[in-house]
Amino acid sequence: MDYSLKDFRFLIVDDFGNYRTSLVAMIGEGGVPGHQIDTASNGKDALNLLENNRYDVVLCDFHLGEGKDGQQVLEESRTRQILGYSTIFIMITAETARTMVLSVVENRPDDYLTKPFTRTVLAERLHRLVEEKEGLVPVDRALELKSTQRALHYLDLQIAKRTSTPMELLRIKAEILERSRHYDQSLAIYDQVLAEREMLWALLGRGRVLYSLQEYAGAVHCFEQVLEANDAYNVARDWMAKALVEMGEGAQAQKILEDAVEQSPKVLRRQKLLATVAEANHDLEVAGNAYEKTVRLGKHSLFRDVSDYTGYSAVLMERGEPKKALKNLGQARKNFAGDPTAQIETALQENQTYTQMGNTREADKALERASEKFEKRTGSIETHTALKLANQISDNSQGLDERAEGLKGLSYKVAQDKGEKRRAGNKAMVKQILSQVIQQNHDDESLHEKVYELAEQVGIEGQEKDELNAARKEVVGLNNEGVSYYRKGELDKAVEILYQAAERLSGNRVINLNAAQAILGLIVKQGVDEQRIRMLDDCLSRIPPEKQDEKYRKLHGLFEQFVHKLSPV
C-alpha cells in the first residue's frame, strides 16, 4: 500500500474471526499500524464504533450472521449521519448472484469487492477512492455541526482546485443542496453534469428534484432515461412509482415496483412501497406478500415502522386471516414497547380487528390500552395518531346503543348503564385528546374544524367546548406573552417563556420558531455558548421538512453562522 494510507484509520466488519484476522494482516502488511485498525463481528458493534470514532476506511462484509447485515450498516450509518462523505465504505461479499450484487450496489457503497481478493486489488481501489475523497473531512465536520453553508463552502474550495470536472464532488454538493431543499441550485448542478456527459446519478437526481417540485411527468421521463441506460438501476423504478401514484396511475406504479422487487427484493422501503400501492389498488395478495417481506426485512432495520405491522394486519383482515393479523400485532407490541405512538397505533389496529371479528369485549380492551398509553405519555403524540384515537373512541360511543338492542329487562338496564358510563368516559378522553391536538396546532384553522366536528360527535358542547377554545387561547397567550417580552428587549424572559412552551408543545411550529428567534436574539445580545446553541438546535430540529418556510430558513442560516463562530471547522 502507498505511504499515504499509513495514517489512515480502518474498521473491519466481518462475522468470521479468521477473515477479520486475515484482513488486519493484509492491511498491516501495507504499513498501517495495528492500533489504527478496529474490528467488529456484527452490525450492532460496527454502528457503535462508527458513532464514537471517525474512520478513513470501512471494509464491511455483506453477511454478518444474526442481526443487521452490511447493507443495513451502510443504510443506517448514512441515515444517522455517522458515516461521513470522507470515509471510504467498501462492501465485501462472497456471492456473485445477480440479486445479491444488485442489493449491494443499490446502496451506493464507494466500491464493492468479491472474495477472495488480493492486497494489490484492495490497494488499487483505495488509491482511486482516496483521490476522489480528498479534502472532504472539513465538509463532514461542517455537516456534523449542522452548518450546510459552511460544508458547501468547503466543497466549492475543493471543486475549484480540480483541473478536470470533479463529478464526485458535484454529486455530493447537489445531494446536500437537495437534502436542504435548495431545489433550484441542486437542479442546476444536475443539469451542468448532464450537459457534459450522461451520468445516471445526475439523471436520477434531476428526477428526484422534479418530483419534489411536483413536476411528476418530467420526473417520470428522467427515471425512464435512467432505466433505458441501465435496466438494473431499480431505485429509479421506486421513484417512478411514487411519481405515477401522484399522477393517479396506481396500476402502472404497481407493475413497475413488481419488476423492481423481482430483480432486487432485499430493500425494505421498496417492499413497503409495493405493499401500500398494491393495497390502494385492492390487490390483497400482492399487498400481503409485500407487507410480510417488509416486516421480515425490518427485523433488524432502522427503517422498521409500526405501520409495517398495522398495514399488514389490515390486509390480513381483508383476506380473512384474523388470527394471523392478531399474532402480527402482538409482535408489534413487543417490538415497539418503548414507543407510545406505536403502542397506540397497534392497539387501535387491534381494536379494529376485534371489532370486525365481532368480539366487542376484546375490542374495548384494545381501545382502553390505547387510551391508557395516551394518558401516560411523557411527550406529545403525533397529531395523526391522536385524531385517529379520538375517532375510534367516538365510533365506540356511537356503537354502544346497538349492543343493547335485542336485550330485555334487567339485561337491557345493565347494558344501558354500562353504555352510559363508557360514553361519559369516552367523552372525557376525547376532550383530553382534542385539547392536545388544538394546542399543538393552534394556528391551523382547517384542523380546528375537524376537532370541533369530532367534539360534537361525542357531545362536547357549551361550556366543555369553551374549554377546548380555552386550551387554544392558553397557547396563543403564551406565544403573545413571549413575543411581547422579545419586542420589549426583555430577551431572558422571552426565552424562558417560549422555550418552556416549545418543550411542552414540541409539535407546535409557531411556538418553536418564535422560541428559536428569541434565543437568537439573546445570542446576539449576550453572546454565543453551547447551551444556547443546543436550545436553538432543539427548537429548529422539531420543524419537519414540509413546514420549513422562509422564516425557518432565515433562522437556520443564523444558527449556522453562530455554530461556526462557536466551533470553527
Side-chain angles (χ1 to χ4, degrees):
M1 290 188 185
D2 190 81
Y3 70 92
S4 61
L5 299 178
K6 291 180 181 178
D7 295 328
F8 275 30
R9 192 167 181 189
F10 284 74
L11 172 61
I12 296 169
V13 190
D14 198 291
D15 58 328
F16 286 106
N18 288 341
Y19 197 76
R20 292 196 303 275
T21 302
S22 173
L23 275 179
V24 168
M26 182 186 293
I27 295 165
E29 288 170 8
V32 180
H35 68 270
Q36 291 172 205
I37 307 171
D38 289 340
T39 63
S41 61
N42 57 66
K44 181 180 178 181
D45 289 348
L47 287 165
N48 287 336
L49 285 166
L50 283 165
E51 185 172 18
N52 294 300
N53 303 280
R54 199 199 76 79
Y55 294 98
D56 300 290
V57 180
V58 178
L59 303 175
C60 183
D61 195 75
F62 185 87
H63 290 291
L64 297 174
E66 181 64 23
K68 299 178 188 293
D69 60 25
Q71 174 178 316
Q72 290 169 327
V73 170
L74 177 56
E75 283 183 315
E76 188 164 329
S77 59
R78 281 182 174 160
T79 301
R80 290 168 56 188
Q81 296 183 350
I82 57 177
L83 182 73
Y85 286 112
S86 63
T87 299
I88 296 167
F89 192 105
I90 297 179
M91 192 77 78
I92 298 171
T93 178
E95 295 194 36
T96 56
R98 187 168 188 265
T99 56
M100 183 60 64
V101 173
L102 285 176
S103 293
V104 171
V105 173
E106 271 198 290
N107 286 285
R108 289 191 302 102
D110 295 299
D111 210 332
Y112 77 97
L113 289 169
T114 304
K115 296 178 181 178
F117 54 85
T118 65
R119 181 163 64 88
T120 301
V121 169
L122 176 60
E124 288 173 353
R125 301 289 177 93
L126 288 175
H127 291 159
R128 174 178 59 80
L129 292 166
V130 165
E131 186 176 343
E132 283 184 3
K133 290 178 175 286
E134 183 183 356
L136 289 179
V137 171
V139 175
D140 286 338
R141 288 176 179 160
L143 291 173
E144 285 169 10
L145 295 170
K146 301 189 178 181
S147 183
T148 301
Q149 293 306 313
R150 183 61 50 177
L152 292 170
H153 168 71
Y154 285 120
L155 272 172
D156 286 338
L157 290 178
Q158 290 301 317
I159 289 169
K161 289 180 182 178
R162 306 297 172 95
T163 55
S164 58
T165 305
M167 291 297 180
E168 177 65 6
L169 297 184
L170 288 173
R171 182 191 69 77
I172 293 170
K173 182 179 180 181
E175 188 176 282
I176 292 171
L177 286 165
E178 184 183 342
R179 194 167 59 233
S180 56
R181 303 170 75 85
H182 292 93
Y183 295 128
D184 290 345
Q185 294 176 59
S186 59
L187 190 61
I189 293 175
Y190 292 133
D191 287 342
Q192 174 193 340
V193 170
L194 291 170
E196 186 169 325
R197 73 178 86 153
E198 187 179 85
M199 301 292 288
L200 295 190
W201 60 261
L203 261 177
L204 183 72
R206 189 175 199 280
R208 287 196 309 262
V209 171
L210 292 176
Y211 175 88
S212 298
L213 294 171
Q214 299 183 6
E215 297 180 26
Y216 301 121
V220 167
H221 180 63
C222 288
F223 303 137
E224 286 173 339
Q225 288 179 288
V226 172
L227 292 168
E228 285 173 11
N230 183 353
D231 186 62
Y233 216 103
N234 283 298
V235 68
R237 287 189 169 88
D238 299 340
W239 280 98
M240 191 191 300
K242 292 178 187 178
L244 287 167
V245 167
E246 296 295 339
M247 296 168 68
E249 300 290 343
Q252 189 180 349
Q254 180 177 330
K255 176 64 173 66
I256 286 166
L257 288 168
E258 287 174 340
D259 291 343
V261 298
E262 184 177 354
Q263 288 193 50
S264 181
K266 295 181 179 291
V267 181
L268 182 152
R269 286 177 285 187
R270 175 173 300 139
Q271 292 286 359
K272 176 69 173 289
L273 182 58
L274 174 58
T276 55
V277 171
E279 184 180 9
N281 292 339
H282 306 292
D283 189 335
L284 300 182
E285 182 179 356
V286 170
N289 292 340
Y291 267 126
E292 184 176 19
K293 290 171 184 173
T294 301
V295 168
R296 188 169 67 248
L297 288 169
K299 184 177 180 182
H300 302 289
S301 175
L302 173 72
F303 305 109
R304 179 176 70 181
D305 190 83
V306 70
S307 62
D308 305 342
Y309 292 79
T310 56
Y312 184 29
S313 289
V315 169
L316 287 170
M317 282 304 297
E318 288 192 67
R319 284 170 33 169
E321 301 179 63
K323 289 183 179 179
K324 195 172 180 181
L326 290 171
K327 183 180 179 181
N328 173 62
L329 291 170
Q331 192 62 48
R333 264 187 296 170
K334 292 179 183 177
N335 291 344
F336 298 93
D339 184 340
T341 295
Q343 289 288 307
I344 291 172
E345 288 282 358
T346 302
L348 290 177
Q349 187 60 46
E350 286 175 321
N351 168 258
Q352 290 184 333
T353 302
Y354 281 119
T355 298
Q356 290 177 45
M357 294 169 65
N359 189 337
T360 56
R361 182 187 295 272
E362 292 300 325
D364 287 348
K365 286 181 181 179
L367 197 57
E368 287 166 8
R369 283 197 298 274
S371 299
E372 286 171 9
K373 290 294 180 184
F374 183 87
E375 288 183 305
K376 292 178 180 178
R377 70 197 185 282
T378 54
S380 300
I381 300 297
E382 293 177 18
T383 295
H384 167 78
T385 300
L387 287 175
K388 189 174 176 182
L389 174 57
N391 269 301
Q392 286 185 221
I393 293 173
S394 173
D395 291 343
N396 179 267
S397 290
Q398 292 176 29
L400 291 173
D401 288 336
E402 294 178 12
R403 298 187 190 183
E405 288 180 6
L407 299 176
K408 295 181 180 179
L410 183 60
S411 296
Y412 177 78
K413 178 77 167 55
V414 169
Q416 283 286 87
D417 290 344
K418 284 184 176 179
E420 286 304 314
K421 185 176 179 181
R422 176 171 287 277
R423 194 175 281 111
N426 284 349
K427 180 179 176 181
M429 191 70 228
V430 169
K431 183 180 172 184
Q432 184 181 342
I433 295 167
L434 297 183
S435 292
Q436 179 204 277
V437 170
I438 210 165
Q439 287 196 325
Q440 293 285 352
N441 305 273
H442 78 274
D443 62 328
D444 190 337
E445 295 296 336
S446 61
L447 185 62
H448 295 170
E449 291 180 14
K450 295 179 183 177
V451 166
Y452 293 131
E453 183 179 333
L454 256 172
E456 288 179 11
Q457 288 176 12
V458 294
I460 296 173
E461 52 192 14
Q463 184 179 344
E464 290 180 313
K465 187 174 181 180
D466 290 341
E467 289 171 7
L468 274 183
N469 287 324
R472 176 181 177 275
K473 288 177 182 177
E474 179 194 350
V475 179
V476 172
L478 274 173
N479 184 62
N480 290 345
E481 184 181 9
V483 170
S484 175
Y485 279 121
Y486 175 81
R487 288 173 177 166
K488 290 187 292 186
E490 297 182 45
L491 299 176
D492 286 305
K493 283 189 175 181
V495 169
E496 181 183 357
I497 291 167
L498 290 169
Y499 185 71
Q500 287 180 3
E503 292 233 287
R504 180 165 68 89
L505 304 167
S506 58
N508 190 304
R509 182 187 64 87
V510 173
I511 292 287
N512 276 282
L513 287 177
N514 285 341
Q517 187 169 343
I519 296 164
L520 277 166
L522 194 62
I523 289 172
V524 170
K525 185 176 181 180
Q526 298 183 9
V528 62
D529 60 33
E530 289 186 7
Q531 182 182 7
R532 287 169 187 158
I533 287 295
R534 178 187 57 77
M535 292 168 66
L536 183 54
D537 187 28
D538 286 344
C539 295
L540 293 175
S541 297
R542 295 184 187 120
I543 310 300
E546 65 274 12
K547 293 185 177 180
Q548 292 175 3
D549 56 9
E550 187 60 30
K551 180 175 181 178
Y552 168 87
R553 286 188 283 274
K554 286 180 179 177
L555 293 173
H556 200 278
L558 291 169
F559 165 73
E560 290 190 18
Q561 291 178 30
F562 286 114
V563 164
H564 179 64
K565 187 174 181 180
L566 182 65
S567 307
V569 178

